[in-house]
Amino acid sequence: MTTPSRAPEAPEPPEAPEPDTKDWTWVLARPCPDCGYDAASVDRGRLGALVREDAAGWGQVLAGPGATERPDPATWSPTEYACHVRDVHRVFAERVASMLAEESPIFDNWDQDATAAADRYDLQRPEAVLPQLLEAAEQVAAAYDAVPDDAWERRGLRSNGSAFTVDTLARYHLHDLVHHQWDVRLGRR
């Protein structure tokens, strides 16, 4: 008599990084001292191209040694950062679409830490994450490319009351991308 085999159980989730509770909207007014991003210097006509360029850079990051290893228990691995960037693209694509379709929409709150835990970023594989990230980046880049000239000043509100235009939302989004490339390449590794 054979005993039924049990599916392997997923390992316990790793320690969650310290929640990021900072209000990063200041990057719209001054350069980031860490990654060097300067929102004011970005050519709006290149926003889509810059999103695509950033996404392409993740291929090298995710193919590198240690892509699934955390540098310390409380810092995401490069793959976990890539999962976050993929999901950031998805959230911003939804927000841009709502800003173009509605008058001053209020964005649903997105808890990035809850998403990382619920979706088990720590168990995702680089080779699966990369095509998802590239697809999500293309979707939001195409959305930026398609914004009509007279729609860049359309407004939307974050759940905490922070007001954005399509233009400032795109610049804020781009900082998130640039900063996380800095995180995995230079800053925290």
Side-chain angles (χ1 to χ4, degrees), residues 25 28 99 107 154-156 158 162-166 168-169 172:
T25 56
L28 296 171
M99 292 172 82
F107 309 133
R154 290 183 63 90
R155 293 174 39 92
R158 225 170 35 186
S162 295
F164 289 93
T165 63
V166 174
T168 60
L169 186 79
Y172 180 79

Side-chain angles (χ1 to χ4, degrees), residues 8-124:
E9 293 183 28
E12 288 293 315
E15 179 180 340
E18 186 74 26
D20 185 357
T21 57
K22 292 181 241 165
D23 180 356
W24 286 89
T25 56
W26 60 265
V27 300
L28 296 171
R30 62 184 187 278
C32 179
D34 295 328
C35 69
Y37 176 79
D38 182 3
S41 70
V42 175
D43 174 0
R44 181 167 67 196
R46 291 201 17 86
L47 284 164
L50 293 169
V51 168
R52 289 180 186 94
E53 287 171 21
D54 178 84
W58 283 96
Q60 183 181 15
V61 170
L62 293 174
T68 60
E69 297 171 12
R70 287 182 166 198
D72 61 69
T75 303
W76 280 342
S77 70
T79 300
E80 289 171 286
Y81 272 109
C83 290
H84 170 70
V85 169
R86 172 200 62 206
D87 292 345
V88 164
H89 288 314
R90 291 171 176 168
V91 167
F92 277 77
E94 290 172 9
R95 290 180 177 181
V96 169
S98 69
M99 292 172 82
L100 296 175
E102 304 169 35
E103 283 299 320
S104 298
I106 298 174
F107 309 133
D108 291 336
N109 188 39
W110 180 54
D111 185 333
Q112 65 187 23
D113 300 309
T115 301
D119 291 352
R120 291 300 306 261
Y121 284 2
D122 62 300
L123 298 179
Q124 295 192 34

